[in-house]
Amino acid sequence: MTTHVPTHTDLAAWLAEAAEAVTGIVTAEHATPRSRSHLHPVLGPLTAGPKVITALAFRLEDLLEERLPTTPAALFALASYASALGWLTESLADLTQAVDRLTVEAGLQSDAATTVPAEVPDFDLSAYAPQDRQAITALATEAALPPGRYLQILGQALLASTEFTDACTEIIIALAEDARRLLDEEVSFVRLGGEGPDSLPTLVRSLLARMETAG
């Protein structure tokens, strides 16, 4: 059991470190062969994400095992951290499912015979400028895909990457905001027991707002 009672600064630093770790997922790059260039937008986050989530989860488990003191500020920090970790895990799962679908569309699934996907119906390569046609054809050839299918899968990969990045950005901003609140005087009034929505961590309030909107 820990004998050290963490200060607001300690707790804020903990959340700030988590935000920095999530930022590392967004900015991660992964060396991509030309044969997989259509998947490049998602390979960095897909590779870095599991390692970061595992590290954050272990850190949370360590603090829980140490029985972090149940002060309002500590409870607030734990709720913020756990919400961010849960949101990040869910977002990475969504990204993983999207990549699985893309590999099937690209004919890269390992449990089936390799087949070249059909061209996208009504795709017209001549609509592109000559220089662009040359580049698209070269990349599609390297990936063993028809040009239209290559562009379609690349576009879906970009969309999946953008959606994941948007989720990570929300998590990063929320952690930074909660770290700020821990450092401000307002933290003295943080109560998780029900003193209005402002007493809750940022991501928790975002989740509640989304549930109300959906309902």
Side-chain angles (χ1 to χ4, degrees), residues 167-215:
C168 287
T169 300
E170 185 171 357
I171 292 168
I172 293 164
I173 292 173
L175 286 169
E177 170 63 15
D178 288 343
R180 181 195 65 77
R181 293 174 66 190
L182 283 166
L183 292 175
D184 285 351
E185 292 297 328
E186 66 186 78
V187 77
S188 301
F189 303 98
V190 169
R191 299 182 182 87
L192 299 182
E195 291 293 328
D198 290 341
S199 66
L200 298 173
T202 305
L203 278 184
V204 175
R205 288 187 282 117
S206 296
L207 179 59
L208 291 174
R210 291 186 180 191
M211 291 175 63
E212 290 178 0
T213 301

Side-chain angles (χ1 to χ4, degrees), residues 16-39:
E17 289 170 3
E20 184 177 355
V22 178
T23 300
I25 302 177
V26 176
T27 59
E29 291 288 340
H30 189 273
T32 308
R34 288 176 65 88
S35 61
R36 299 291 184 269
S37 61
H38 48 305
L39 299 177

Side-chain angles (χ1 to χ4, degrees), residues 80-129:
S80 176
Y81 191 96
S83 298
L85 180 58
W87 206 302
L88 179 62
T89 302
E90 180 182 353
S91 298
L92 182 63
D94 291 341
L95 178 66
T96 302
Q97 292 176 1
V99 174
D100 286 343
R101 291 193 298 270
L102 292 177
T103 56
V104 171
E105 291 186 28
L108 299 175
Q109 62 271 37
S110 59
D111 59 346
T114 301
T115 58
V116 178
E119 179 60 286
V120 175
D122 301 322
F123 175 74
D124 184 9
L125 184 60
S126 65
Y128 292 82

Side-chain angles (χ1 to χ4, degrees), residues 38 41 102 148-162:
H38 48 305
L102 292 177
R149 185 66 64 185
Y150 175 89
L151 290 176
Q152 181 186 62
I153 293 173
L154 176 61
Q156 292 172 349
L158 287 168
L159 177 60
S161 174
T162 298

